[in-house]
């Protein structure tokens, strides 16, 4: 193949990233759009870069060393990357490469001024912008200087920040190559950045223009605050004019200089409103060409706007596809399910196939469209009341959207006769036998599934599973089950409302629900204390477990059995896994590794329990909670009887306490049933994956996670898979991990977080939702992965979200703070069961609270104080 060292921008389009890098490919694409002016220039291709790298074999050794360096070892990265840069800059350009560049310069004008800009192959991509990772040099004059700066751009692939960025994003340094864009300089009156979607709210209908005087580097480098124009539907809807005291101008002999702006010009707008609108029109044309919102660098020169760069805005949360042009409002499923991480395609499709309502996917997360329920007054009120009781931030976010004039259509109420959305359930007796019956029904259904699935393989398995999903939904929608759940929740709300009104006591139900019976999730945490009791007497077993690596597989159980006391320890762990092995963090995603598949996940928690507890702790904890609840009941009833009409109030309250204690534990059981069924589905699908690997259809079993259920069915039927699709899905999933899903999302792309709007908390406190009463002070342990848990008695767990799998940690902590959660989500229910003061829904808690800081959690007031 003949190597091509230089390509004119007019010869390039956006498909040629491998040849000219992300920036070069985008500039080539831009130069082909009608009505878009791009300064003339050319690209020095990645062929030239590879030729240079081949001239210095020592770089290979250093890349090997780099690949082994921890991304947090800044000193090692700084030293190695500096050595690589120095080596590249010292390599003399081969004659044919230098000649190709100087010929291109001769065509454009040798003594003109140029911008020399890095363009890496992993840059300006839809999934990672890499903005600012490599270098740009402005106003470079003369062939010698330009050749020198091309070398500097190549070397800038190995700046410390670029190397660290790739290490953190799991990108192999050898797979990234550097092209260089050489473009005629533009000397503008004004320059800046245009975002074709609002980068703060995500609204795709609002474009934001940042503008300053002189070259755009003044804005990019943060030297000055820009003028900001917001443009919607062809008009400026907001503007902020900044005092622009400085600008960067080009010098005649080359290079740039910072200059002061005359006092009378500083507060003049850099653009007129008409120019801002015209620029946004150009931006919309560019956005349409690339098919996604763009971050565009522009210059204003005498004859109009010139575009010097365009890249995708990678920080925007994607919008669910609706297939129409109507307005839509979506509520996050992940915030309700305590799992805001992205899910893999198989996980998404399985949840959708087994869910009770239609769901929409975006950014690896699921959303429910609530537009119709918001459109009519009665269903709107019921929805807002329901979500507001669970998570006030979702209610506030929905109300924020409703305040946008005419965004949600108005529809009349549904005709009488239909049940109100999320409304009252039929009455149910306070009878523990009902809960026993529901649990037995669920267990019988799962046992039948386990029995019947054993003989199913190939396409017949998928037909069987589609029928199993219908049974799954039938169990979930069992009217008796729903009424039992609602009875427990409604009784909790009644107690909190009435006892606040009658006794002035906040969240009284928190104590009344301690150690409620039949709570499979709180039992799971206590059962792991019993496992620790078995292991504690055997020093050799404890020592062995301390050496077990998290990544090791189930083989450690076999090793365990060879030690003194090891058989007892193994049996205890296996008994625990028989009952709870289907659980894991993020368990609504079927692709996540279950405890039964990776039992080492539990080892750190078991060791914490061995260290922090005395024998018999589980039984004692449960009994203490039960007695506290009983004492609270007696206290509340005696205080009520002393009030006017006290006997009636006490009798009603007693009925509600009995109701709560009968039904609130069952609140956790349906999720346990879902996850139990999921583990059965998964084991059958993994056997199919093993057959596909044996047949050479897939390289590895886990590749099925990147296919939907329907696609996997087709692969099993045809024994063929599109490996490119699997790779694209892996890349997309990696990009989704960097996104934070909003609680509420609109079809305009506006991501709405919601606010608490409270003025009853101390200055500087972090506000959240009070879900479990009490106040506790202690050391914050910020833990993002359960496997990293290393807790001492009295620690306060601070994390993003907790689903039921975190419950084993709850027995060893003194309090809980999460970023996501509501009054009736799993973490809140279990915190109340264990009597842990807890505040959930605390925005950015894991960033604002540092690991090891002392904090005070006000579980009754719903806020956290960071202590000195």
């Amino acid at each position: 193949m003949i190597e091509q060292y230089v390509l004119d921008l007019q010869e390039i389009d956006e498909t040629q990233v491998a040849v000219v890098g992300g920036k070069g490919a985008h500039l080539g694409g831009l130069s082909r759009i009608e009505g878009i002016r791009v300064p003339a220039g050319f690209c020095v291709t990645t062929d030239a870069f590879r030729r240079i790298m081949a001239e210095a074999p020592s770089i290979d050794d250093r890349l090997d060393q780099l690949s082994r360096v921890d991304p947090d070892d800044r000193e090692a990265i700084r030293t190695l990357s500096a050595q690589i840069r120095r080596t590249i800059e010292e390599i003399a350009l081969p004659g044919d490469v230098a000649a190709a560049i100087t010929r291109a310069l001769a065509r454009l004008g040798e003594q003109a001024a140029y911008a020399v800009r890095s363009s890496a192959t992993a840059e300006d991509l839809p999934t990672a912008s890499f903005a600012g990772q490599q270098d740009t040099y402005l106003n470079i004059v003369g062939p010698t200087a330009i050749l020198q700066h091309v070398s500097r751009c190549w070397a800038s692939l190995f700046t410390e920040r670029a190397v660290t960025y790739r290490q953190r994003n799991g990108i192999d340094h050898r797979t990234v190559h550097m092209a260089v864009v050489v473009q005629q300089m533009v000397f503008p009156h004004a320059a800046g950045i245009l975002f074709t979607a609002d980068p703060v709210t995500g609204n795709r209908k609002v474009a934001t223009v940042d503008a300053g005087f002189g070259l755009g580097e003044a804005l990019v480098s943060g030297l000055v605050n820009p003028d900001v124009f917001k443009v919607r539907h062809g008009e400026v809807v907001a503007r902020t004019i900044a005092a622009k005291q400085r600008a960067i101008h080009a010098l005649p002999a080359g290079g740039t200089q910072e200059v002061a702006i005359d006092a009378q010009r500083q507060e003049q707008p850099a653009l007129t409103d008409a120019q801002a609108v015209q620029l946004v029109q150009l931006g919309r044309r560019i956005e349409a060409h690339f098919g996604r919102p763009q971050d565009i660098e522009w210059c204003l020169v005498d004859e109009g706007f010139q575009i010097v760069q365009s890249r995708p805005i990678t920080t925007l949360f994607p919008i669910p596809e609706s297939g129409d042009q109507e307005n839509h409002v979506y509520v996050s499923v992940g915030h309700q399910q305590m799992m805001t991480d992205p899910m893999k395609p198989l996980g998404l499709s399985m949840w959708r196939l087994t869910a009770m309502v239609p769901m929409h996917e975006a950014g690896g997360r699921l959303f429910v469209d609530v537009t119709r329920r918001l459109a009519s007054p009665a269903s709107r009120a019921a929805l807002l009341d329901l979500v507001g009781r669970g998570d006030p931030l979702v209610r506030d976010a929905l109300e924020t959207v409703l305040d946008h004039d005419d965004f949600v259509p108005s529809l009349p109420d549904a005709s009488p006769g239909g049940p109100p959305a999320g409304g009252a359930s039929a009455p149910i007796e306070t009878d523990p036998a009902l809960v026993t019956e529901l649990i037995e029904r669920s267990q019988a259904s799962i046992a039948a599934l386990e029995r019947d699935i054993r003989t199913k393989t190939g396409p017949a398995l998928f037909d069987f599973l589609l029928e199993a999903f219908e049974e799954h939904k039938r169990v979930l929608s069992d009217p008796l089950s729903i009424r039992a759940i609602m009875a427990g929740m409604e009784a909790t709300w009644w107690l909190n409302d009435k006892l606040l009104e009658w006794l002035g006591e906040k969240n009284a139900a928190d104590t009344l629900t301690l150690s409620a019976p039949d709570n499979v999730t709180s039992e799971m945490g206590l059962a792991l204390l019993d496992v620790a009791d078995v292991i504690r007497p055997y020093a050799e077993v404890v020592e062995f477990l301390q050496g077990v690596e998290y990544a090791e597989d189930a083989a450690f159980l076999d090793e365990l059995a060879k030690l003194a006391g090891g058989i007892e320890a193994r049996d205890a762990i296996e008994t625990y896994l028989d009952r709870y092995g289907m659980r894991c963090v993020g368990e609504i995603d079927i692709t996540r590794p279950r405890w039964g598949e990776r039992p080492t996940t539990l080892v750190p928690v078991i060791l914490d329990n061995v260290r922090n507890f005395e024998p018999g702790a589980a039984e004692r904890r449960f009994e203490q909670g039960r007695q506290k609840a009983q004492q609270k009941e007696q206290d509340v009833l005696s205080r009520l009887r002393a009030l006017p009409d006290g006997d009636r109030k006490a009798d009603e309250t007693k009925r509600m306490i009995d109701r709560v204690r009968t039904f609130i534990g069952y609140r956790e059981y349906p999720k346990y049933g879902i996850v139990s069924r999921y583990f059965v589905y998964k084991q059958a699908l993994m056997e199919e994956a093993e057959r596909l690997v044996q047949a050479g259809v897939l390289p590895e079993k886990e590749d099925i996670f990147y296919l939907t259920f329907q696609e996997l069915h087709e692969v099993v039927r045809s024994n063929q898979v599109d490996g490119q699709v699997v790779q694209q899905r892996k890349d997309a999933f990696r990009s989704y991990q960097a996104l934070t899903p909003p609680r509420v999302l609109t079809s305009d792309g506006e991501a709405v977080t919601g606010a608490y709007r409270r003025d009853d908390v101390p200055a500087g406190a972090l506000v959240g939702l009070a879900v479990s009463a009490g106040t506790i002070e202690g050391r914050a342990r910020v833990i993002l992965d359960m496997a990293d848990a290393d807790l001492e008695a009295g620690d306060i767990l601070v994390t993003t979200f907790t689903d039921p799998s975190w419950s084993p940690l709850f027995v060893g902590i003194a309090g809980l703070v999460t970023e996501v959660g509501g009054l009736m989500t799993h973490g809140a229910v279990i915190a109340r069961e264990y009597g842990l003061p807890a505040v959930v829904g605390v925005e950015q808690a894991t960033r604002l609270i540092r690991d090891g800081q002392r904090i005070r959690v006000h579980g009754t007031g719903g806020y956290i104080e960071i202590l000195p």
Side-chain angles (χ1 to χ4, degrees):
M1 190 180 84
I2 298 171
E3 290 174 327
Q4 204 165 7
Y5 297 129
V6 169
L7 286 173
D8 192 85
L9 282 182
Q10 301 291 331
E11 301 175 77
I12 298 164
D13 64 28
E14 55 269 33
T15 65
Q16 291 166 276
V17 172
V19 181
V20 295
K23 191 176 293 162
H26 271 78
L27 282 168
L30 281 167
S31 64
R32 292 163 176 255
I33 305 171
E34 193 178 337
I36 302 298
R37 297 178 57 233
V38 176
F42 58 89
C43 280
V44 182
T45 67
T46 52
D47 282 348
F49 173 75
R50 275 190 287 267
R51 175 86 182 273
I52 291 298
M53 294 291 276
E55 300 276 325
S58 65
I59 291 175
D60 254 1
D61 298 336
R62 296 209 173 102
L63 287 178
D64 284 339
Q65 289 173 268
L66 257 188
S67 66
R68 294 191 291 270
V69 169
D70 186 291
D72 294 322
D73 188 348
R74 298 188 61 175
E75 192 53 47
I77 289 175
R78 186 178 297 127
T79 303
L80 284 165
S81 57
Q83 289 169 351
I84 295 171
R85 286 198 305 279
R86 197 160 48 247
T87 304
I88 292 171
E89 286 187 35
E90 287 169 358
I91 296 170
L93 257 66
D96 49 351
V97 174
I101 295 170
T102 49
R103 277 198 302 274
L105 285 170
R107 287 197 302 275
L108 290 174
E110 277 189 2
Q111 292 310 308
Y114 291 88
V116 182
R117 310 165 76 196
S118 308
S119 179
T121 53
E123 179 179 84
D124 295 355
L125 305 179
T127 55
S129 76
F130 288 75
Q133 298 306 315
Q134 287 92 32
D135 289 349
T136 285
Y137 302 96
L138 299 178
N139 203 32
I140 309 302
V141 179
T144 305
I146 285 166
L147 291 173
Q148 181 188 11
H149 284 86
V150 167
S151 285
R152 285 187 182 173
C153 282
W154 286 330
S156 78
L157 188 63
F158 297 98
T159 61
E160 184 187 340
R161 64 182 182 274
V163 167
T164 304
Y165 189 95
R166 288 195 295 273
Q167 302 262 100
R168 288 191 193 286
N169 282 278
I171 295 166
D172 182 350
H173 301 295
R174 294 173 196 278
T175 63
V176 184
H177 300 117
M178 181 69 86
V180 181
V181 175
V182 181
Q183 234 179 334
Q184 285 184 340
M185 272 295 290
V186 174
F187 302 105
H189 313 304
I193 301 161
L194 158 64
F195 298 97
T196 64
D198 188 317
V200 177
T201 68
N203 194 321
R204 310 307 201 261
K205 301 274 177 72
V206 176
T208 302
V209 178
D210 288 3
F213 294 124
L215 293 167
E217 292 305 295
L219 304 188
V220 173
S221 64
L223 180 65
V224 296
N225 289 328
D227 295 340
V228 181
F229 300 83
K230 291 196 180 293
V231 178
R232 182 185 176 98
H233 299 320
E235 63 174 319
V236 174
V237 292
R239 78 178 65 67
T240 306
I241 306 304
K244 300 169 287 295
Q245 296 172 332
R246 312 195 71 70
I248 292 177
H249 285 174
L251 295 170
T256 60
Q257 182 182 41
E258 196 182 306
V259 297
I261 294 174
D262 296 342
Q264 65 269 31
R265 277 191 73 216
Q266 286 179 9
E267 297 199 21
Q268 283 180 9
L271 292 179
T272 65
D273 281 9
Q275 286 170 327
V277 169
Q278 182 196 350
L279 177 59
V280 170
Q281 287 169 345
L282 296 176
R284 293 284 178 226
R285 202 175 292 179
I286 294 168
E287 179 183 68
H289 176 84
F290 289 118
R292 62 181 64 230
Q294 297 287 301
D295 161 356
I296 297 165
E297 292 181 26
W298 56 269
C299 294
L300 178 62
V301 287
D302 295 329
E303 63 277 24
F305 289 104
Q306 297 211 26
I307 305 300
V308 293
Q309 188 168 337
S310 184
R311 63 167 76 93
I313 308 176
T314 57
T315 54
L316 296 174
F317 200 86
I319 306 171
E321 287 182 18
S322 64
D324 60 38
Q325 297 302 308
E326 304 294 318
N327 289 347
H328 292 271
V329 183
Y330 303 98
V331 172
S332 162
V333 172
H335 285 80
Q336 179 201 357
Q337 291 292 338
M338 296 295 89
M339 217 296 270
T340 52
D341 291 347
M343 294 166 69
K344 297 189 178 86
L346 184 62
L348 289 165
S349 66
M350 293 284 279
W351 191 261
R352 290 172 79 173
L353 284 165
T354 52
M356 301 309 300
V357 293
M359 292 182 180
H360 305 263
E361 185 268 325
R365 279 80 169 186
L366 291 169
F367 294 85
V368 173
D369 187 342
V370 296
T371 320
R372 289 197 68 80
R373 291 182 68 181
L374 288 174
S376 66
S379 61
R380 179 190 312 141
L383 176 66
L384 291 175
D385 182 55
L386 191 67
V387 299
R389 281 188 178 276
D391 185 347
L393 290 178
V394 175
R395 177 177 184 138
D396 187 79
L398 289 173
E399 287 174 335
T400 301
V401 174
L402 288 166
D403 286 343
H404 297 349
D405 291 343
D406 300 329
F407 186 83
V408 176
S410 285
L411 297 174
D413 285 332
S415 58
S425 50
I428 183 174
E429 286 179 62
T430 304
D431 180 0
L434 291 172
V435 173
T436 307
E437 180 193 338
L438 284 166
I439 291 172
E440 286 172 355
R441 278 192 210 174
S442 175
Q443 288 172 338
S445 175
I446 292 164
L449 172 67
E450 289 174 329
R451 183 189 66 236
D452 296 344
I453 204 169
R454 284 186 196 128
T455 56
K456 306 296 189 290
T457 60
L461 169 67
F462 289 82
D463 296 336
F464 171 82
L465 282 172
L466 288 171
E467 289 177 26
F469 297 163
E470 293 310 306
E471 167 66 3
H472 181 124
K473 289 195 274 194
R474 189 195 65 72
V475 172
L476 264 186
S477 60
D478 180 339
L480 183 63
S481 176
I482 291 167
R483 281 155 58 199
I485 293 167
M486 290 308 296
M489 287 165 59
E490 286 164 355
T492 306
W493 297 335
W494 188 96
L495 285 167
N496 280 335
D497 291 346
K498 291 297 184 185
L499 296 181
L500 180 61
E501 179 190 335
W502 293 337
L503 299 177
E505 192 166 334
K506 269 187 177 181
N507 298 345
D510 293 1
T511 309
L512 294 166
T513 54
L514 287 171
S515 298
D518 298 313
N519 188 321
V520 69
T521 309
S522 61
E523 287 165 6
M524 178 170 73
L526 296 173
L528 208 57
L529 288 176
D530 293 335
V531 173
D533 284 356
V534 173
I535 288 169
R536 193 179 289 107
Y538 301 113
E540 204 178 337
V541 171
V542 173
E543 188 182 352
F544 171 77
L545 290 178
Q546 285 166 340
V548 168
E549 284 295 321
Y550 169 56
E552 287 178 22
D553 62 18
F556 93 92
L557 291 171
D558 298 328
E559 294 298 312
L560 196 57
K562 298 172 187 173
L563 308 172
I567 291 174
E568 292 87 341
R570 184 193 63 188
D571 290 351
I573 292 171
E574 286 184 339
T575 300
Y576 185 86
L577 291 173
D578 285 343
R579 180 141 168 78
Y580 303 111
M582 76 294 289
R583 309 223 81 151
C584 68
V585 173
E587 60 193 10
I588 70 170
D589 182 354
I590 199 171
T591 72
R592 299 282 278 254
R594 312 280 137 178
W595 293 343
E597 296 170 311
R598 194 180 285 171
T600 44
T601 309
L602 295 171
V603 168
V605 194
I606 293 171
L607 289 170
D608 281 348
N609 289 349
V610 166
R611 188 175 66 242
N612 294 334
F613 291 93
E614 295 294 318
E619 195 176 339
R620 275 197 309 280
R621 285 285 296 266
F622 188 81
E623 184 54 28
Q624 284 164 0
R626 198 184 64 75
Q627 287 180 14
K628 268 191 196 171
Q630 210 167 14
Q631 288 159 8
K632 183 69 174 177
E633 177 181 329
Q634 290 164 358
D635 170 58
V636 162
L637 295 178
S638 65
R639 285 160 61 199
L640 285 172
R641 286 198 176 95
L643 298 176
D645 197 18
D647 287 345
R648 180 189 63 82
K649 289 172 179 170
D651 289 347
E652 281 186 33
T653 301
K654 171 61 175 157
R655 277 199 303 276
M656 286 300 176
I657 292 172
D658 290 347
R659 206 161 170 74
V660 160
R661 293 197 66 79
T662 299
F663 292 117
I664 202 66
Y666 178 71
R667 161 78 181 80
E668 292 292 296
Y669 200 86
K671 182 75 170 282
Y672 175 79
I674 291 171
V675 177
S676 298
R677 298 180 77 89
Y678 262 38
F679 197 30
V680 179
Y681 305 154
K682 183 178 187 179
Q683 288 168 310
L685 291 173
M686 293 311 285
E687 285 175 19
E688 286 302 314
E690 181 60 45
R691 280 190 276 276
L692 291 169
V693 170
Q694 296 297 331
V697 177
L698 288 176
E700 50 190 50
K701 287 193 297 185
E702 285 73 18
D703 282 355
I704 70 166
F705 298 162
Y706 298 93
L707 301 168
T708 66
F709 179 82
Q710 296 86 344
E711 289 167 344
L712 180 55
H713 187 177
E714 180 56 28
V715 169
V716 167
R717 192 193 63 74
S718 66
N719 263 358
Q720 290 182 315
V721 70
D722 186 339
Q724 207 171 351
V725 167
V726 171
Q727 188 55 51
Q728 285 167 354
R729 300 267 177 84
K730 287 180 179 179
D731 293 342
F733 178 74
R734 193 181 297 120
S735 75
Y736 296 153
Q737 288 175 305
L739 299 174
T740 302
R743 282 177 169 80
V744 171
L745 181 66
T746 74
S747 49
D748 282 356
E750 188 173 359
V752 194
T753 305
Y756 286 106
R757 309 190 192 282
R758 287 174 56 187
D759 53 11
D760 60 341
V761 295
L766 307 181
V767 184
L769 178 63
V771 296
S772 186
T775 301
I776 192 74
E777 206 173 288
R779 178 179 68 154
R781 293 308 318 272
V782 180
I783 297 173
L784 302 180
D785 184 337
M786 194 173 142
D788 299 331
D790 180 15
L791 295 162
E792 301 288 345
D795 282 349
I796 296 167
L797 174 62
V798 180
T799 190
T800 325
F801 58 79
T802 62
D803 59 12
S805 69
W806 286 74
S807 301
L809 292 186
F810 284 24
V811 297
I813 59 175
L816 173 70
V817 178
T818 68
E819 293 182 350
V820 177
L823 200 58
M824 283 296 168
T825 47
H826 303 278
V829 171
I830 305 308
R832 290 195 289 274
E833 285 267 326
Y834 288 167
L836 300 175
V839 180
V840 302
V842 182
E843 284 290 293
Q844 299 194 346
T846 58
R847 294 182 197 131
L848 298 171
I849 299 170
R850 289 198 312 277
D851 187 50
Q853 271 185 321
R854 286 195 68 76
I855 61 172
R856 188 180 296 128
V857 177
H858 294 263
T860 311
Y863 61 92
I864 295 103
E865 291 178 283
I866 298 175
L867 303 175

